[in-house]
Amino acid sequence: LVARCMTSWREYVQTEKHVRTRMLARLEHARQLAELKAAHRVKGDQTAHLMADKFRAARQAETLSACTSAWANYAQTEKSARTWEVARAEHALEMEQLRTTARSKGDKTAELLADKFY
């Protein structure tokens, strides 16, 4: 009877030890898996940040290019308008000078004719 009790107790202890060992192994496995997932998540977060920085830099470069292009177009338009206004004013002045010169020649001719006939 004592031998049976001892044998049963020993089997129970071995079974409990085996169950406890398996449970500890499962817990260790779960802990390692959680660490790997966390490390993978951190690496993924870093990759996501790098990608976001890259896309943000590209978008900022695109925006800068669009702004610079718009400014250059505006500056060119304004320069053309100023050049056109200056050219128009110079043309008007030249035309007025030509009219004045033509009038003065006409006045001299009229005076000569008037002196000649009167």
Side-chain angles (χ1 to χ4, degrees), residues 13-31:
V13 168
Q14 286 177 348
T15 304
E16 285 297 311
K17 182 179 176 185
H18 181 66
V19 168
R20 192 175 316 120
T21 303
R22 286 180 57 198
M23 185 178 70
L24 289 174
R26 285 183 186 154
L27 288 174
E28 179 65 19
H29 176 70
R31 184 190 63 77

mmCIF file with all atom_site columns, all heavy atoms in Angstrom, residues 13-31:
data_model
loop_
_atom_site.group_PDB
_atom_site.id
_atom_site.type_symbol
_atom_site.label_atom_id
_atom_site.label_alt_id
_atom_site.label_comp_id
_atom_site.label_asym_id
_atom_site.label_entity_id
_atom_site.label_seq_id
_atom_site.pdbx_PDB_ins_code
_atom_site.Cartn_x
_atom_site.Cartn_y
_atom_site.Cartn_z
_atom_site.occupancy
_atom_site.B_iso_or_equiv
_atom_site.pdbx_formal_charge
_atom_site.auth_seq_id
_atom_site.auth_comp_id
_atom_site.auth_asym_id
_atom_site.auth_atom_id
_atom_site.pdbx_PDB_model_num
ATOM 1   N N   . VAL A 1 13 ? 3.599  14.052 -8.931  1.00 0.00 ? 13 VAL A N   1
ATOM 2   C CA  . VAL A 1 13 ? 4.627  15.092 -8.864  1.00 0.00 ? 13 VAL A CA  1
ATOM 3   C C   . VAL A 1 13 ? 5.285  15.252 -10.239 1.00 0.00 ? 13 VAL A C   1
ATOM 4   O O   . VAL A 1 13 ? 5.505  16.369 -10.719 1.00 0.00 ? 13 VAL A O   1
ATOM 5   C CB  . VAL A 1 13 ? 5.660  14.784 -7.761  1.00 0.00 ? 13 VAL A CB  1
ATOM 6   C CG1 . VAL A 1 13 ? 6.880  15.684 -7.881  1.00 0.00 ? 13 VAL A CG1 1
ATOM 7   C CG2 . VAL A 1 13 ? 5.034  14.912 -6.392  1.00 0.00 ? 13 VAL A CG2 1
ATOM 8   N N   . GLN A 1 14 ? 5.578  14.144 -10.901 1.00 0.00 ? 14 GLN A N   1
ATOM 9   C CA  . GLN A 1 14 ? 6.199  14.210 -12.220 1.00 0.00 ? 14 GLN A CA  1
ATOM 10  C C   . GLN A 1 14 ? 5.252  14.871 -13.234 1.00 0.00 ? 14 GLN A C   1
ATOM 11  O O   . GLN A 1 14 ? 5.685  15.674 -14.067 1.00 0.00 ? 14 GLN A O   1
ATOM 12  C CB  . GLN A 1 14 ? 6.605  12.806 -12.694 1.00 0.00 ? 14 GLN A CB  1
ATOM 13  C CG  . GLN A 1 14 ? 7.822  12.272 -11.973 1.00 0.00 ? 14 GLN A CG  1
ATOM 14  C CD  . GLN A 1 14 ? 8.149  10.849 -12.412 1.00 0.00 ? 14 GLN A CD  1
ATOM 15  O OE1 . GLN A 1 14 ? 7.353  10.193 -13.071 1.00 0.00 ? 14 GLN A OE1 1
ATOM 16  N NE2 . GLN A 1 14 ? 9.323  10.378 -12.003 1.00 0.00 ? 14 GLN A NE2 1
ATOM 17  N N   . THR A 1 15 ? 3.982  14.512 -13.146 1.00 0.00 ? 15 THR A N   1
ATOM 18  C CA  . THR A 1 15 ? 2.991  15.101 -14.049 1.00 0.00 ? 15 THR A CA  1
ATOM 19  C C   . THR A 1 15 ? 2.887  16.602 -13.795 1.00 0.00 ? 15 THR A C   1
ATOM 20  O O   . THR A 1 15 ? 2.872  17.404 -14.748 1.00 0.00 ? 15 THR A O   1
ATOM 21  C CB  . THR A 1 15 ? 1.612  14.433 -13.854 1.00 0.00 ? 15 THR A CB  1
ATOM 22  O OG1 . THR A 1 15 ? 1.738  13.030 -14.042 1.00 0.00 ? 15 THR A OG1 1
ATOM 23  C CG2 . THR A 1 15 ? 0.597  14.992 -14.817 1.00 0.00 ? 15 THR A CG2 1
ATOM 24  N N   . GLU A 1 16 ? 2.811  16.996 -12.541 1.00 0.00 ? 16 GLU A N   1
ATOM 25  C CA  . GLU A 1 16 ? 2.732  18.419 -12.194 1.00 0.00 ? 16 GLU A CA  1
ATOM 26  C C   . GLU A 1 16 ? 3.982  19.160 -12.642 1.00 0.00 ? 16 GLU A C   1
ATOM 27  O O   . GLU A 1 16 ? 3.909  20.285 -13.164 1.00 0.00 ? 16 GLU A O   1
ATOM 28  C CB  . GLU A 1 16 ? 2.517  18.598 -10.692 1.00 0.00 ? 16 GLU A CB  1
ATOM 29  C CG  . GLU A 1 16 ? 1.117  18.303 -10.226 1.00 0.00 ? 16 GLU A CG  1
ATOM 30  C CD  . GLU A 1 16 ? 0.097  19.245 -10.847 1.00 0.00 ? 16 GLU A CD  1
ATOM 31  O OE1 . GLU A 1 16 ? 0.304  20.483 -10.836 1.00 0.00 ? 16 GLU A OE1 1
ATOM 32  O OE2 . GLU A 1 16 ? -0.912 18.739 -11.357 1.00 0.00 ? 16 GLU A OE2 1
ATOM 33  N N   . LYS A 1 17 ? 5.149  18.509 -12.455 1.00 0.00 ? 17 LYS A N   1
ATOM 34  C CA  . LYS A 1 17 ? 6.404  19.124 -12.884 1.00 0.00 ? 17 LYS A CA  1
ATOM 35  C C   . LYS A 1 17 ? 6.398  19.301 -14.402 1.00 0.00 ? 17 LYS A C   1
ATOM 36  O O   . LYS A 1 17 ? 6.784  20.351 -14.919 1.00 0.00 ? 17 LYS A O   1
ATOM 37  C CB  . LYS A 1 17 ? 7.581  18.260 -12.450 1.00 0.00 ? 17 LYS A CB  1
ATOM 38  C CG  . LYS A 1 17 ? 8.917  18.837 -12.815 1.00 0.00 ? 17 LYS A CG  1
ATOM 39  C CD  . LYS A 1 17 ? 10.034 17.938 -12.342 1.00 0.00 ? 17 LYS A CD  1
ATOM 40  C CE  . LYS A 1 17 ? 11.365 18.485 -12.791 1.00 0.00 ? 17 LYS A CE  1
ATOM 41  N NZ  . LYS A 1 17 ? 12.455 17.584 -12.449 1.00 0.00 ? 17 LYS A NZ  1
ATOM 42  N N   . HIS A 1 18 ? 5.931  18.281 -15.111 1.00 0.00 ? 18 HIS A N   1
ATOM 43  C CA  . HIS A 1 18 ? 5.870  18.350 -16.569 1.00 0.00 ? 18 HIS A CA  1
ATOM 44  C C   . HIS A 1 18 ? 4.888  19.453 -17.019 1.00 0.00 ? 18 HIS A C   1
ATOM 45  O O   . HIS A 1 18 ? 5.201  20.234 -17.926 1.00 0.00 ? 18 HIS A O   1
ATOM 46  C CB  . HIS A 1 18 ? 5.449  16.987 -17.128 1.00 0.00 ? 18 HIS A CB  1
ATOM 47  C CG  . HIS A 1 18 ? 5.375  16.933 -18.608 1.00 0.00 ? 18 HIS A CG  1
ATOM 48  N ND1 . HIS A 1 18 ? 6.487  17.057 -19.408 1.00 0.00 ? 18 HIS A ND1 1
ATOM 49  C CD2 . HIS A 1 18 ? 4.318  16.801 -19.448 1.00 0.00 ? 18 HIS A CD2 1
ATOM 50  C CE1 . HIS A 1 18 ? 6.115  16.991 -20.670 1.00 0.00 ? 18 HIS A CE1 1
ATOM 51  N NE2 . HIS A 1 18 ? 4.793  16.832 -20.719 1.00 0.00 ? 18 HIS A NE2 1
ATOM 52  N N   . VAL A 1 19 ? 3.738  19.516 -16.366 1.00 0.00 ? 19 VAL A N   1
ATOM 53  C CA  . VAL A 1 19 ? 2.735  20.545 -16.701 1.00 0.00 ? 19 VAL A CA  1
ATOM 54  C C   . VAL A 1 19 ? 3.303  21.936 -16.417 1.00 0.00 ? 19 VAL A C   1
ATOM 55  O O   . VAL A 1 19 ? 3.167  22.857 -17.220 1.00 0.00 ? 19 VAL A O   1
ATOM 56  C CB  . VAL A 1 19 ? 1.423  20.311 -15.910 1.00 0.00 ? 19 VAL A CB  1
ATOM 57  C CG1 . VAL A 1 19 ? 0.503  21.511 -16.006 1.00 0.00 ? 19 VAL A CG1 1
ATOM 58  C CG2 . VAL A 1 19 ? 0.727  19.059 -16.394 1.00 0.00 ? 19 VAL A CG2 1
ATOM 59  N N   . ARG A 1 20 ? 3.945  22.094 -15.250 1.00 0.00 ? 20 ARG A N   1
ATOM 60  C CA  . ARG A 1 20 ? 4.532  23.376 -14.887 1.00 0.00 ? 20 ARG A CA  1
ATOM 61  C C   . ARG A 1 20 ? 5.637  23.762 -15.877 1.00 0.00 ? 20 ARG A C   1
ATOM 62  O O   . ARG A 1 20 ? 5.730  24.915 -16.313 1.00 0.00 ? 20 ARG A O   1
ATOM 63  C CB  . ARG A 1 20 ? 5.090  23.308 -13.468 1.00 0.00 ? 20 ARG A CB  1
ATOM 64  C CG  . ARG A 1 20 ? 5.446  24.682 -12.922 1.00 0.00 ? 20 ARG A CG  1
ATOM 65  C CD  . ARG A 1 20 ? 5.899  24.656 -11.456 1.00 0.00 ? 20 ARG A CD  1
ATOM 66  N NE  . ARG A 1 20 ? 5.085  23.821 -10.611 1.00 0.00 ? 20 ARG A NE  1
ATOM 67  C CZ  . ARG A 1 20 ? 5.541  22.762 -9.908  1.00 0.00 ? 20 ARG A CZ  1
ATOM 68  N NH1 . ARG A 1 20 ? 6.800  22.423 -9.956  1.00 0.00 ? 20 ARG A NH1 1
ATOM 69  N NH2 . ARG A 1 20 ? 4.730  22.056 -9.155  1.00 0.00 ? 20 ARG A NH2 1
ATOM 70  N N   . THR A 1 21 ? 6.471  22.792 -16.264 1.00 0.00 ? 21 THR A N   1
ATOM 71  C CA  . THR A 1 21 ? 7.540  23.054 -17.228 1.00 0.00 ? 21 THR A CA  1
ATOM 72  C C   . THR A 1 21 ? 6.949  23.496 -18.568 1.00 0.00 ? 21 THR A C   1
ATOM 73  O O   . THR A 1 21 ? 7.431  24.452 -19.181 1.00 0.00 ? 21 THR A O   1
ATOM 74  C CB  . THR A 1 21 ? 8.407  21.795 -17.419 1.00 0.00 ? 21 THR A CB  1
ATOM 75  O OG1 . THR A 1 21 ? 8.919  21.382 -16.154 1.00 0.00 ? 21 THR A OG1 1
ATOM 76  C CG2 . THR A 1 21 ? 9.546  22.056 -18.372 1.00 0.00 ? 21 THR A CG2 1
ATOM 77  N N   . ARG A 1 22 ? 5.894  22.788 -19.029 1.00 0.00 ? 22 ARG A N   1
ATOM 78  C CA  . ARG A 1 22 ? 5.242  23.164 -20.278 1.00 0.00 ? 22 ARG A CA  1
ATOM 79  C C   . ARG A 1 22 ? 4.603  24.547 -20.170 1.00 0.00 ? 22 ARG A C   1
ATOM 80  O O   . ARG A 1 22 ? 4.680  25.353 -21.117 1.00 0.00 ? 22 ARG A O   1
ATOM 81  C CB  . ARG A 1 22 ? 4.188  22.128 -20.668 1.00 0.00 ? 22 ARG A CB  1
ATOM 82  C CG  . ARG A 1 22 ? 4.820  20.846 -21.197 1.00 0.00 ? 22 ARG A CG  1
ATOM 83  C CD  . ARG A 1 22 ? 3.808  19.814 -21.588 1.00 0.00 ? 22 ARG A CD  1
ATOM 84  N NE  . ARG A 1 22 ? 2.875  20.332 -22.583 1.00 0.00 ? 22 ARG A NE  1
ATOM 85  C CZ  . ARG A 1 22 ? 1.701  19.785 -22.852 1.00 0.00 ? 22 ARG A CZ  1
ATOM 86  N NH1 . ARG A 1 22 ? 1.319  18.700 -22.202 1.00 0.00 ? 22 ARG A NH1 1
ATOM 87  N NH2 . ARG A 1 22 ? 0.912  20.300 -23.758 1.00 0.00 ? 22 ARG A NH2 1
ATOM 88  N N   . MET A 1 23 ? 4.006  24.842 -19.029 1.00 0.00 ? 23 MET A N   1
ATOM 89  C CA  . MET A 1 23 ? 3.379  26.146 -18.844 1.00 0.00 ? 23 MET A CA  1
ATOM 90  C C   . MET A 1 23 ? 4.441  27.249 -18.850 1.00 0.00 ? 23 MET A C   1
ATOM 91  O O   . MET A 1 23 ? 4.266  28.293 -19.491 1.00 0.00 ? 23 MET A O   1
ATOM 92  C CB  . MET A 1 23 ? 2.594  26.192 -17.532 1.00 0.00 ? 23 MET A CB  1
ATOM 93  C CG  . MET A 1 23 ? 1.821  27.490 -17.335 1.00 0.00 ? 23 MET A CG  1
ATOM 94  S SD  . MET A 1 23 ? 0.860  27.512 -15.829 1.00 0.00 ? 23 MET A SD  1
ATOM 95  C CE  . MET A 1 23 ? 2.140  27.590 -14.607 1.00 0.00 ? 23 MET A CE  1
ATOM 96  N N   . LEU A 1 24 ? 5.559  27.040 -18.187 1.00 0.00 ? 24 LEU A N   1
ATOM 97  C CA  . LEU A 1 24 ? 6.645  28.011 -18.180 1.00 0.00 ? 24 LEU A CA  1
ATOM 98  C C   . LEU A 1 24 ? 7.226  28.189 -19.585 1.00 0.00 ? 24 LEU A C   1
ATOM 99  O O   . LEU A 1 24 ? 7.556  29.309 -19.994 1.00 0.00 ? 24 LEU A O   1
ATOM 100 C CB  . LEU A 1 24 ? 7.738  27.601 -17.190 1.00 0.00 ? 24 LEU A CB  1
ATOM 101 C CG  . LEU A 1 24 ? 7.363  27.725 -15.706 1.00 0.00 ? 24 LEU A CG  1
ATOM 102 C CD1 . LEU A 1 24 ? 8.484  27.140 -14.834 1.00 0.00 ? 24 LEU A CD1 1
ATOM 103 C CD2 . LEU A 1 24 ? 7.082  29.159 -15.334 1.00 0.00 ? 24 LEU A CD2 1
ATOM 104 N N   . ALA A 1 25 ? 7.337  27.076 -20.327 1.00 0.00 ? 25 ALA A N   1
ATOM 105 C CA  . ALA A 1 25 ? 7.842  27.154 -21.700 1.00 0.00 ? 25 ALA A CA  1
ATOM 106 C C   . ALA A 1 25 ? 6.875  27.970 -22.566 1.00 0.00 ? 25 ALA A C   1
ATOM 107 O O   . ALA A 1 25 ? 7.298  28.798 -23.394 1.00 0.00 ? 25 ALA A O   1
ATOM 108 C CB  . ALA A 1 25 ? 8.030  25.750 -22.275 1.00 0.00 ? 25 ALA A CB  1
ATOM 109 N N   . ARG A 1 26 ? 5.567  27.742 -22.388 1.00 0.00 ? 26 ARG A N   1
ATOM 110 C CA  . ARG A 1 26 ? 4.568  28.521 -23.137 1.00 0.00 ? 26 ARG A CA  1
ATOM 111 C C   . ARG A 1 26 ? 4.649  30.007 -22.781 1.00 0.00 ? 26 ARG A C   1
ATOM 112 O O   . ARG A 1 26 ? 4.574  30.872 -23.664 1.00 0.00 ? 26 ARG A O   1
ATOM 113 C CB  . ARG A 1 26 ? 3.163  28.005 -22.857 1.00 0.00 ? 26 ARG A CB  1
ATOM 114 C CG  . ARG A 1 26 ? 2.852  26.724 -23.553 1.00 0.00 ? 26 ARG A CG  1
ATOM 115 C CD  . ARG A 1 26 ? 1.428  26.306 -23.302 1.00 0.00 ? 26 ARG A CD  1
ATOM 116 N NE  . ARG A 1 26 ? 1.188  24.991 -23.870 1.00 0.00 ? 26 ARG A NE  1
ATOM 117 C CZ  . ARG A 1 26 ? 0.276  24.154 -23.432 1.00 0.00 ? 26 ARG A CZ  1
ATOM 118 N NH1 . ARG A 1 26 ? -0.490 24.484 -22.404 1.00 0.00 ? 26 ARG A NH1 1
ATOM 119 N NH2 . ARG A 1 26 ? 0.123  22.981 -23.999 1.00 0.00 ? 26 ARG A NH2 1
ATOM 120 N N   . LEU A 1 27 ? 4.785  30.293 -21.495 1.00 0.00 ? 27 LEU A N   1
ATOM 121 C CA  . LEU A 1 27 ? 4.899  31.690 -21.068 1.00 0.00 ? 27 LEU A CA  1
ATOM 122 C C   . LEU A 1 27 ? 6.158  32.335 -21.646 1.00 0.00 ? 27 LEU A C   1
ATOM 123 O O   . LEU A 1 27 ? 6.136  33.489 -22.105 1.00 0.00 ? 27 LEU A O   1
ATOM 124 C CB  . LEU A 1 27 ? 4.902  31.793 -19.542 1.00 0.00 ? 27 LEU A CB  1
ATOM 125 C CG  . LEU A 1 27 ? 3.569  31.515 -18.848 1.00 0.00 ? 27 LEU A CG  1
ATOM 126 C CD1 . LEU A 1 27 ? 3.752  31.508 -17.331 1.00 0.00 ? 27 LEU A CD1 1
ATOM 127 C CD2 . LEU A 1 27 ? 2.534  32.554 -19.256 1.00 0.00 ? 27 LEU A CD2 1
ATOM 128 N N   . GLU A 1 28 ? 7.269  31.608 -21.633 1.00 0.00 ? 28 GLU A N   1
ATOM 129 C CA  . GLU A 1 28 ? 8.517  32.126 -22.200 1.00 0.00 ? 28 GLU A CA  1
ATOM 130 C C   . GLU A 1 28 ? 8.359  32.349 -23.700 1.00 0.00 ? 28 GLU A C   1
ATOM 131 O O   . GLU A 1 28 ? 8.802  33.368 -24.239 1.00 0.00 ? 28 GLU A O   1
ATOM 132 C CB  . GLU A 1 28 ? 9.667  31.147 -21.917 1.00 0.00 ? 28 GLU A CB  1
ATOM 133 C CG  . GLU A 1 28 ? 10.997 31.581 -22.480 1.00 0.00 ? 28 GLU A CG  1
ATOM 134 C CD  . GLU A 1 28 ? 11.534 32.859 -21.858 1.00 0.00 ? 28 GLU A CD  1
ATOM 135 O OE1 . GLU A 1 28 ? 11.096 33.258 -20.754 1.00 0.00 ? 28 GLU A OE1 1
ATOM 136 O OE2 . GLU A 1 28 ? 12.403 33.492 -22.483 1.00 0.00 ? 28 GLU A OE2 1
ATOM 137 N N   . HIS A 1 29 ? 7.713  31.402 -24.351 1.00 0.00 ? 29 HIS A N   1
ATOM 138 C CA  . HIS A 1 29 ? 7.472  31.546 -25.790 1.00 0.00 ? 29 HIS A CA  1
ATOM 139 C C   . HIS A 1 29 ? 6.597  32.783 -26.062 1.00 0.00 ? 29 HIS A C   1
ATOM 140 O O   . HIS A 1 29 ? 6.891  33.571 -26.979 1.00 0.00 ? 29 HIS A O   1
ATOM 141 C CB  . HIS A 1 29 ? 6.796  30.284 -26.340 1.00 0.00 ? 29 HIS A CB  1
ATOM 142 C CG  . HIS A 1 29 ? 6.418  30.379 -27.774 1.00 0.00 ? 29 HIS A CG  1
ATOM 143 N ND1 . HIS A 1 29 ? 7.334  30.389 -28.798 1.00 0.00 ? 29 HIS A ND1 1
ATOM 144 C CD2 . HIS A 1 29 ? 5.195  30.497 -28.369 1.00 0.00 ? 29 HIS A CD2 1
ATOM 145 C CE1 . HIS A 1 29 ? 6.709  30.499 -29.949 1.00 0.00 ? 29 HIS A CE1 1
ATOM 146 N NE2 . HIS A 1 29 ? 5.408  30.559 -29.715 1.00 0.00 ? 29 HIS A NE2 1
ATOM 147 N N   . ALA A 1 30 ? 5.545  32.963 -25.282 1.00 0.00 ? 30 ALA A N   1
ATOM 148 C CA  . ALA A 1 30 ? 4.658  34.126 -25.450 1.00 0.00 ? 30 ALA A CA  1
ATOM 149 C C   . ALA A 1 30 ? 5.415  35.424 -25.201 1.00 0.00 ? 30 ALA A C   1
ATOM 150 O O   . ALA A 1 30 ? 5.231  36.413 -25.919 1.00 0.00 ? 30 ALA A O   1
ATOM 151 C CB  . ALA A 1 30 ? 3.462  34.014 -24.509 1.00 0.00 ? 30 ALA A CB  1
ATOM 152 N N   . ARG A 1 31 ? 6.313  35.428 -24.174 1.00 0.00 ? 31 ARG A N   1
ATOM 153 C CA  . ARG A 1 31 ? 7.098  36.618 -23.892 1.00 0.00 ? 31 ARG A CA  1
ATOM 154 C C   . ARG A 1 31 ? 8.046  36.939 -25.051 1.00 0.00 ? 31 ARG A C   1
ATOM 155 O O   . ARG A 1 31 ? 8.147  38.086 -25.489 1.00 0.00 ? 31 ARG A O   1
ATOM 156 C CB  . ARG A 1 31 ? 7.903  36.423 -22.596 1.00 0.00 ? 31 ARG A CB  1
ATOM 157 C CG  . ARG A 1 31 ? 8.689  37.665 -22.165 1.00 0.00 ? 31 ARG A CG  1
ATOM 158 C CD  . ARG A 1 31 ? 9.646  37.344 -21.029 1.00 0.00 ? 31 ARG A CD  1
ATOM 159 N NE  . ARG A 1 31 ? 10.667 36.386 -21.394 1.00 0.00 ? 31 ARG A NE  1
ATOM 160 C CZ  . ARG A 1 31 ? 11.756 36.675 -22.132 1.00 0.00 ? 31 ARG A CZ  1
ATOM 161 N NH1 . ARG A 1 31 ? 11.942 37.883 -22.591 1.00 0.00 ? 31 ARG A NH1 1
ATOM 162 N NH2 . ARG A 1 31 ? 12.640 35.734 -22.415 1.00 0.00 ? 31 ARG A NH2 1
#
